[in-house]
Amino acid sequence: KLLPCDNVDSDGGRSGSGGLSAIFPSHQLSLTKSGFIEPLLPPMRHHKLCWDFFKHIMSLDYLIHDFEAMCHNIKATSRRVLIDMGASLVFHDDSKKKKKRKKYREPPIVTLMNLYEKFGFQFDHIYAFEVDTMNSRQVYEDLLPEKYFASYHWINAGVTNVKGHKMNPLHSILTKFDEDDFIVIKLDIDTPSIELPLAHQLVEGGPDGIYHRMVDQFYFEHHVHLGELAESWERDKTMEGTVKDSLEMFHSLRERGIPAHFWP
């Protein structure tokens, strides 16, 4: 089993190459407590979706992670935690057109977990909240890779934005860990009335600003009025607010110490 940073050069890789800042000489990356991350730019997705929408709409290739910096921050005793709000693993691959073939596309969250694992960040606890009723057998037999069984907590219930409620993971799960732990949060429940208050609670910081100190990475699909994604979001009636609102929220999160990314 890989330990965190086993796949990262012990010298950090910066002495000769200059690290991420050398790869991106424009100096447009954002610097956070977890290292460099991508700049905040519309369309809040991979830019190539403007030319080939369906090929790039779920791509994570626009995200930048500074695993070197994360390796310097993590400790041997740190627990690695993923809190996934909106954890459906069902992503069909043309299953409606080809009803006889039941093939599933790899969910973006699994792609993300595989990326972390590549650099030795294997999650000890994965708390997966999903409001849509799903057959647990399908989740574990058909959708979830076996390597995550030991750490996966499937919670087939919706979250709430009520402060102090046990179904608010910021209260009932996040605060049960320590500042030395490595904590990743993903928020994508397609319900602005719940997810926006949760995002704002992260901006506010929680009791004594603890959220700002504890969250190491945050991924959020903010459904705003954005032309490039309007066709997808209008269908679900989830658009609320403007691109300016989104940029200001994500900037506020980063300014307060939470490395925030747009999620596809």
Side-chain angles (χ1 to χ4, degrees), residues 63-100:
L63 298 175
I64 295 174
H65 298 90
D66 194 338
F67 286 102
E68 177 199 342
M70 288 186 264
C71 287
H72 287 311
N73 293 335
I74 202 167
K75 298 181 179 179
T77 56
S78 299
R79 291 167 291 184
R80 287 145 285 163
V81 181
L82 170 61
I83 301 173
D84 186 2
M85 291 179 270
S88 176
L89 296 173
V90 178
F91 284 80
H92 293 281
D93 183 7
D94 296 328
S95 58
K96 292 182 180 179
K97 296 180 181 179
K98 301 178 181 180
K99 295 182 179 180
K100 294 183 179 180

Side-chain angles (χ1 to χ4, degrees), residues 129-152:
F129 290 84
E130 174 54 47
V131 68
D132 290 339
T133 302
M134 295 188 66
N135 186 307
S136 296
R137 184 171 181 174
Q138 181 191 26
V139 172
Y140 284 95
E141 284 195 3
D142 298 336
L143 302 172
L144 184 69
E146 181 181 345
K147 62 184 177 180
Y148 297 118
F149 273 33
S151 57
Y152 201 78

Side-chain angles (χ1 to χ4, degrees), residues 5-261:
C5 309
D6 276 358
N7 282 355
V8 178
D9 291 341
S10 59
D11 65 357
R14 290 189 186 273
S15 57
S17 64
L20 285 174
S21 59
I23 298 174
F24 297 92
S26 62
H27 304 296
Q28 291 179 339
L29 298 181
S30 295
L31 182 60
T32 71
K33 67 181 180 183
S34 294
F36 289 107
I37 57 178
E38 73 283 352
L40 294 172
L41 296 170
M44 304 190 290
R45 288 289 195 286
H46 196 296
H47 66 281
K48 288 186 178 180
L49 72 79
C50 297
W51 291 273
D52 193 332
F53 185 89
F54 292 103
K55 180 178 179 180
H56 297 287
I57 182 61
M58 302 306 293
S59 172
L60 301 183
D61 290 345
Y62 63 95
L63 298 175
I64 295 174
H65 298 90
D66 194 338
F67 286 102
E68 177 199 342
M70 288 186 264
C71 287
H72 287 311
N73 293 335
I74 202 167
K75 298 181 179 179
T77 56
S78 299
R79 291 167 291 184
R80 287 145 285 163
V81 181
L82 170 61
I83 301 173
D84 186 2
M85 291 179 270
S88 176
L89 296 173
V90 178
F91 284 80
H92 293 281
D93 183 7
D94 296 328
S95 58
K96 292 182 180 179
K97 296 180 181 179
K98 301 178 181 180
K99 295 182 179 180
K100 294 183 179 180
R101 185 183 73 173
K102 203 169 186 179
K103 182 180 178 182
Y104 295 98
R105 187 158 47 118
E106 181 176 88
I109 191 63
V110 173
T111 303
L112 185 71
M113 291 191 294
N114 286 336
L115 176 64
Y116 277 99
E117 184 181 5
K118 179 180 178 181
F119 291 92
F121 286 79
Q122 295 170 303
F123 290 104
D124 302 300
H125 299 283
I126 303 169
Y127 298 94
F129 290 84
E130 174 54 47
V131 68
D132 290 339
T133 302
M134 295 188 66
N135 186 307
S136 296
R137 184 171 181 174
Q138 181 191 26
V139 172
Y140 284 95
E141 284 195 3
D142 298 336
L143 302 172
L144 184 69
E146 181 181 345
K147 62 184 177 180
Y148 297 118
F149 273 33
S151 57
Y152 201 78
H153 311 282
W154 172 248
I155 305 168
N156 202 179
V159 300
T160 181
N161 57 31
V162 178
K163 294 180 180 179
H165 195 286
K166 68 179 181 180
M167 295 308 291
N168 182 334
L170 302 182
H171 163 73
S172 58
I173 296 178
L174 177 59
T175 57
K176 302 306 186 287
F177 289 91
D178 302 321
E179 292 183 37
D180 286 340
D181 294 324
F182 180 78
I183 299 176
V184 175
I185 296 178
K186 191 215 86 183
L187 177 59
D188 181 14
I189 59 175
D190 296 341
T191 307
S193 62
I194 298 177
E195 61 187 7
L196 279 175
L198 285 170
H200 284 297
Q201 286 173 32
L202 285 176
V203 174
E204 294 166 3
D208 298 321
I210 189 65
Y211 299 163
H212 298 160
R213 301 191 298 273
M214 292 193 68
V215 179
D216 295 283
Q217 298 286 346
F218 176 53
Y219 305 88
F220 176 36
E221 184 179 33
H222 190 191
H223 299 81
V224 297
H225 290 273
L226 177 64
E228 289 84 354
L229 300 174
E231 183 178 352
S232 298
W233 288 348
E234 279 181 347
R235 182 173 59 247
D236 298 326
K237 297 182 171 63
T238 57
M239 292 193 299
E240 184 175 310
T242 66
V243 172
K244 179 176 180 290
D245 295 333
S246 190
L247 293 173
E248 288 178 347
M249 175 190 291
F250 279 78
H251 178 265
S252 294
L253 286 163
R254 292 184 177 191
E255 194 174 43
R256 287 161 174 77
I258 297 179
H261 308 263

